[in-house]
Amino acid sequence: MKKLACAINTILLSGMAVSSASYAEGLLEDSKVTLSTRNIAMYLDRDTNDDIEQFAWAQGVAIDYKSGYLSDFIGIDATYSGAIKLGANEYFAGRNLLRNNNGEAEGFNKISQVYGKLKLEGSDSYARGYFGWKSLHKFGAITVSKSRAVVSSYKGISGELGYKGLELRGAFVNTFSDRDSPLQEDFKTLGGEKINHIITGDLTYRWGKKNSILLFTGQSQDYLRRSGLEAKLQHRLPNSNALYFSGYLYQNQGLDNWEGIPFESEATHYNVNLDYLFSGWKVGGSYAYTDAKSNHGLGLFYWDLGKNTDGNFNSVADGPGIDFNKDGEHMVAFQTMYDMSHSGIPGLKVGGRLTYGFGIEYQGKNFMKGL
């Protein structure tokens, strides 16, 4: 397999002060407009589904407006996004960069975010609410990808409550706009039936700079429930070195309308990671295992909540090009990363990962793959 991904991000303009009338004090004078660009080229000559060459090159543009708060309570934010086609293969299979119009790659533009916002804040507590189209990144059981030219978004309501190191969040959403399309689409089952809504939430406790424990749950109506536990712990060592541990446990449960594909009724995924940080380097290893029985073929851990959704899944098994999430599959990985700011080049990190999956047994054959 050959694959290449390249992204260049720039921020061209940030900050805009606007004079305001007295009745809108704070709403306009604290507003900000940011223009950002993102240039991404992605190439993959083969994936797990077919042998079609996949290539796309797009220029992403986003104009992001954030208002202040009227009476320190209510405001509105919006983002206008676009993807400009710079290149694509003849038999366009897409890399979620450009719109796929019957096999032809096209650019597109849309209002990707527009939502009202409310807030109440104290010295060590806060309450915030949002309603409208919003990009909910790593929010309970759902997320949006930030690795493409345009960011996807959900329509609905969401909110968060915080007190010192505790934070409780929740969301109710019913429509989705994907990162490679201007359309607003319903959630659907794998069989194509409409899902009316998704409800999700999480509870996080943080202490220190790098320590946190998060519990989440969420479900698409009468279809699929996902729950998870995520832990991140850092142990400081002499000379500014550190050990960093992260562990993830995810569980799926099919509900009344679940078809039993790609797993029968329940599926579980485990992932643990240990990294050593020293002198700008991050070196570590990972292990993951998946249990996802299916009567319809080789099962896999499915982390979305249906079609037209993005599921929150932070395991290292979510790989570039190949995912190591099949039933009975063990995964080991070794990774290294160097922060070039230690060599006078801020904002750049260079590294690599070697990942190997093994242990899949299906129809009497043992499958092993490496990346």
Side-chain angles (χ1 to χ4, degrees):
M1 175 184 293
K2 299 177 182 178
K3 53 187 175 294
L4 175 66
C6 179
I8 301 175
N9 306 308
T10 58
I11 296 202
L12 303 180
L13 174 66
S14 179
M16 182 180 75
V18 182
S19 61
S20 60
S22 59
Y23 66 85
E25 184 177 356
L27 181 67
L28 297 179
E29 66 181 12
D30 295 329
S31 65
K32 181 174 68 174
V33 173
T34 301
L35 172 63
S36 60
T37 66
R38 173 176 290 181
N39 190 288
I40 301 180
M42 301 189 72
Y43 172 75
L44 182 67
D45 70 348
R46 181 174 58 85
D47 65 13
T48 56
N49 298 317
D50 53 53
D51 293 330
I52 298 176
E53 178 187 81
Q54 297 187 23
F55 167 70
W57 183 17
Q59 176 65 58
V61 179
I63 303 174
D64 189 66
Y65 169 76
K66 293 186 179 298
S67 78
Y69 285 87
L70 176 63
S71 300
D72 203 32
F73 174 65
I74 187 170
I76 186 170
D77 294 349
T79 304
Y80 180 81
S81 303
I84 302 169
K85 175 185 173 181
L86 300 179
N89 56 291
E90 183 177 355
Y91 301 101
F92 183 66
R95 294 304 300 157
N96 301 117
L97 288 176
L98 298 165
R99 185 181 185 184
N100 189 341
N101 185 5
N102 297 319
E104 294 293 330
E106 293 183 348
F108 65 94
N109 56 78
K110 64 179 178 180
I111 298 177
S112 55
Q113 293 192 110
V114 56
Y115 58 90
K117 56 185 182 180
L118 309 170
K119 73 168 184 175
L120 293 172
E121 295 182 342
S123 58
D124 53 10
S125 62
Y126 57 86
R128 305 183 187 118
Y130 309 93
F131 52 94
W133 282 95
K134 194 174 190 301
S135 294
L136 298 173
H137 181 63
K138 298 187 183 299
F139 198 110
I142 60 176
T143 191
V144 295
S145 172
K146 293 187 175 182
S147 63
R148 299 298 190 266
V150 173
V151 178
S152 52
S153 57
Y154 297 86
K155 185 181 76 171
I157 58 175
S158 60
E160 53 203 31
L161 299 171
Y163 176 72
K164 295 186 176 180
L166 278 172
E167 183 177 58
L168 175 65
R169 304 187 300 174
F172 178 96
V173 293
N174 58 17
T175 316
F176 184 67
S177 183
D178 211 348
R179 55 193 178 181
D180 60 354
S181 170
L183 302 179
Q184 300 174 2
E185 301 181 284
D186 294 327
F187 307 130
K188 292 184 179 180
T189 69
L190 297 179
E193 299 298 320
K194 180 180 176 180
I195 297 173
N196 286 325
H197 64 264
I198 293 173
I199 185 169
T200 188
D202 57 40
L203 176 65
T204 305
Y205 177 64
R206 299 181 179 89
W207 70 101
K209 293 183 177 181
K210 299 287 185 177
N211 304 306
S212 66
I213 295 178
L214 179 146
L215 292 168
F216 77 79
T217 189
Q219 71 178 52
S220 44
Q221 186 189 29
D222 299 327
Y223 192 61
L224 182 62
R225 179 181 297 126
R226 284 198 62 222
S227 301
L229 167 65
E230 302 182 352
K232 300 177 181 180
L233 305 170
Q234 180 173 275
H235 177 64
R236 303 297 302 181
L237 298 172
N239 302 319
S240 299
N241 299 338
L243 285 174
Y244 186 74
F245 168 83
S246 58
Y248 304 93
L249 168 61
Y250 300 111
Q251 185 176 45
N252 281 347
Q253 180 181 359
L255 303 179
D256 292 345
N257 295 332
W258 178 247
E259 301 97 337
I261 304 173
F263 62 88
E264 199 62 30
S265 59
E266 293 185 355
T268 307
H269 178 84
Y270 313 86
N271 171 227
V272 291
N273 311 282
L274 183 63
D275 295 292
Y276 178 44
L277 287 71
F278 64 98
S279 304
W281 286 94
K282 181 178 181 181
V283 179
S286 302
Y287 171 79
Y289 177 73
T290 300
D291 182 4
K293 301 291 189 298
S294 174
N295 295 331
H296 303 276
L298 179 61
L300 60 84
F301 187 89
Y302 181 71
W303 58 71
D304 295 334
L305 290 175
K307 291 183 177 180
N308 302 328
T309 75
D310 279 338
N312 189 8
F313 186 75
N314 297 305
S315 170
V316 175
D318 179 10
I322 292 180
D323 300 319
F324 295 80
N325 62 332
K326 309 303 184 294
D327 179 49
E329 182 169 25
H330 300 263
M331 181 218 74
V332 291
F334 301 94
Q335 55 265 348
T336 182
M337 183 76 69
Y338 180 67
D339 187 346
M340 296 295 291
S341 63
H342 287 255
S343 300
I345 309 176
L348 178 63
K349 295 181 179 181
V350 179
R353 176 187 295 163
L354 174 65
T355 310
Y356 182 69
F358 62 95
I360 301 173
E361 294 184 0
Y362 175 59
Q363 293 183 348
K365 297 181 180 179
N366 184 57
F367 291 84
M368 294 188 295
K369 61 177 183 281
L371 176 62

